[in-house]
Amino acid sequence: MSEVIALGQPTVGDAELAAIAEVFASGWLAGSGPTSRRFEERFAAAVGTRHALATSNCGSALHLALLTLGVNPGDEVIVGDYTFPATGHSVLWTGAKPVFADVRPDTWTVDPAAVEAAVTPRTVGIIAVDAFGQPADYDELRAIADRHGLFLVEDAACSAGATYKGRPAGSLADVATFSFHGRKGITAGEGGAYVTDRDDLAAHARKLHTYGVEGALTRAELSHLPIPTFTELGYNYRLSDVAAAIMIAQLDRLPDLLVAKRRTAARYGELLKDHELITTPYEAPDREHPWQSYVVTIDPSVDRGAVALELRQRGVQCTFGTYASHVQPLYGQTAPCPVSADLFARHLAIPMHANLTDAQVETVAATLVDVVNSAATGR
């Protein structure tokens, strides 16, 4: 094995280093400072919302979303099942119950019919998940939410740069949340964002994410010496200004990153489209996929685990797709979500990032085909 082709890889360099140096020179490295404020303004403009709040990660942004939308212990929140469990965890953090709804077999996003069927008198809201960045069916979900008086949250952890019917991911629900983890389309290693058009939610989220008081930058701009009073339980969910500086540079890169990953996705599609044991991902025609991950579906006759092990031995990094949340023991007894469970058993993520060369893409595809063929014949 001569070369290891990475599953994911950030695109960072001189622009990010220069942004960090500028923050170091400013003397303000902590969160909620002037660089965070600049990033928030830029990010809100990029996703088409009035407000953005930089957070420590997407999980904290989800928690803030539910708190500011008034979720209480005993409430139920419907959650798209096929997702990293941070989505369900955020509901548990409020004392409410996540009710998992099955997903579409093509886009892997929550099935509106399953959402409708899951509504009970205790339901207060819906969290739709943009599967690997592809937005869910927000027009249908909004209609359900409005019909039953529910809120709608977009878990856009993977969705930076995606669109739904021409509208940017992040602008599709009452609140949306993003992740800037190292495998995401734009990254500071860790981090996240809470975005909304509602002034009241944004103000409440900003207070809660700084222990329940106004941040130091806001207090420093006043003409007197304010002494904060703690009237509500808050959290330290801030993103440092160092990370915010990286994110400003990453936003500048985003258009080029999307072009590179869409080109890679198209090439994978060409190379793998005719293989009867490998199904390539579907992009809905009214959406633009940001391709945070490239996930193929392996035929059930093939041992996915054996394929993954052999790919890694040949230098092609890979992993499973994401989780069928309802089968995780933490959540206890839940209704079955058979589509999500099937995807959980058959999905395989192969290398996808903006730094892949054409030769690497061809190597990954050829190796995957060879390994799957070998596994199918038992050689």
Side-chain angles (χ1 to χ4, degrees):
M1 182 178 67
S2 58
E3 176 192 25
V4 174
I5 303 177
L7 176 66
Q9 189 178 84
T11 304
V12 292
D14 290 344
E16 287 76 14
L17 290 172
I20 293 169
E22 186 176 337
V23 172
F24 283 6
S26 77
W28 190 307
L29 277 64
S32 296
T35 306
S36 289
R37 186 173 290 180
R38 287 199 302 275
F39 167 66
E40 289 166 350
E41 292 171 353
R42 286 278 311 276
F43 195 68
V47 302
T49 58
R50 287 170 49 81
H51 304 282
L53 177 66
T55 63
S56 53
N57 50 59
C58 188
S60 60
L62 281 166
H63 189 203
L64 289 174
L66 298 181
L67 292 174
T68 56
L69 288 162
V71 176
N72 292 305
D75 290 340
E76 293 180 356
V77 179
I78 299 170
V79 177
D81 187 67
Y82 196 52
T83 179
F84 186 77
T87 316
H89 284 20
S90 69
V91 179
L92 292 182
W93 292 337
T94 68
K97 176 185 177 182
V99 176
F100 297 107
D102 210 353
V103 298
R104 289 175 46 171
D106 52 358
T107 61
W108 316 328
T109 57
V110 70
D111 185 341
V115 171
E116 183 75 62
V119 175
T120 75
R122 302 179 94 176
T123 305
V124 296
I126 304 162
I127 305 178
V129 181
D130 298 343
F132 306 111
Q134 178 159 221
D137 299 298
Y138 285 98
D139 285 353
E140 292 88 341
L141 294 170
R142 172 56 70 192
I144 294 169
D146 290 348
R147 186 159 56 249
H148 295 283
L150 311 175
F151 65 72
L152 178 60
V153 170
E154 178 185 5
D155 182 341
C158 304
S159 307
T163 67
Y164 170 77
K165 298 184 178 180
R167 292 140 51 198
S171 66
L172 306 173
D174 298 304
V175 177
T177 63
F178 289 84
S179 172
F180 307 135
H181 176 266
R183 273 193 65 202
K184 298 303 185 286
I186 49 176
T187 181
E190 290 287 355
Y194 168 117
V195 303
T196 184
D197 275 334
R198 286 179 51 179
D199 297 348
D200 59 332
L201 297 181
H204 194 193
R206 189 169 294 278
K207 179 181 177 184
L208 290 179
H209 109 309
T210 307
Y211 290 113
V213 296
E214 288 186 328
L217 181 62
T218 301
R219 299 198 307 271
E221 293 171 342
L222 299 175
S223 59
H224 60 286
L225 179 62
I227 308 298
T229 299
F230 293 83
T231 60
E232 185 176 12
L233 179 65
Y235 307 85
N236 181 3
Y237 282 169
R238 296 166 297 191
L239 184 72
S240 77
D241 266 30
V242 177
I246 296 172
M247 289 311 305
I248 291 173
Q250 288 280 289
L251 271 179
D252 290 337
R253 290 187 188 272
L254 181 57
D256 289 340
L257 298 179
L258 290 169
V259 168
K261 288 193 291 183
R262 286 169 179 157
R263 182 174 63 243
T264 293
R267 185 62 178 143
Y268 273 145
E270 294 170 358
L271 294 169
L272 299 172
K273 65 181 179 181
D274 295 325
H275 200 288
E276 62 180 9
L277 301 177
I278 302 169
T279 303
T280 56
Y282 168 76
E283 181 179 19
D286 59 355
R287 285 154 234 204
E288 288 183 294
H289 202 312
W291 300 108
Q292 182 266 331
S293 296
Y294 193 89
V295 180
V296 297
T297 309
I298 303 298
D299 190 86
S301 66
V302 176
D303 184 338
R304 180 188 60 172
V307 169
L309 180 61
E310 182 64 20
L311 283 174
R312 290 171 178 171
Q313 289 177 342
R314 296 195 193 185
V316 176
Q317 290 188 350
C318 60
T319 189
F320 62 97
T322 192
Y323 291 84
S325 295
H326 76 285
V327 304
Q328 301 308 312
L330 170 70
Y331 299 115
Q333 186 66 35
T334 65
C337 297
V339 175
S340 179
D342 181 60
L343 299 174
F344 182 41
R346 296 171 58 200
H347 269 174
L348 187 69
I350 60 177
M352 170 55 83
H353 52 83
N355 305 330
L356 287 169
T357 65
D358 292 341
Q360 287 175 322
V361 172
E362 291 173 4
T363 296
V364 170
T367 306
L368 176 62
V369 167
D370 186 54
V371 170
V372 168
N373 286 341
S374 296
T377 59
R379 294 200 303 270

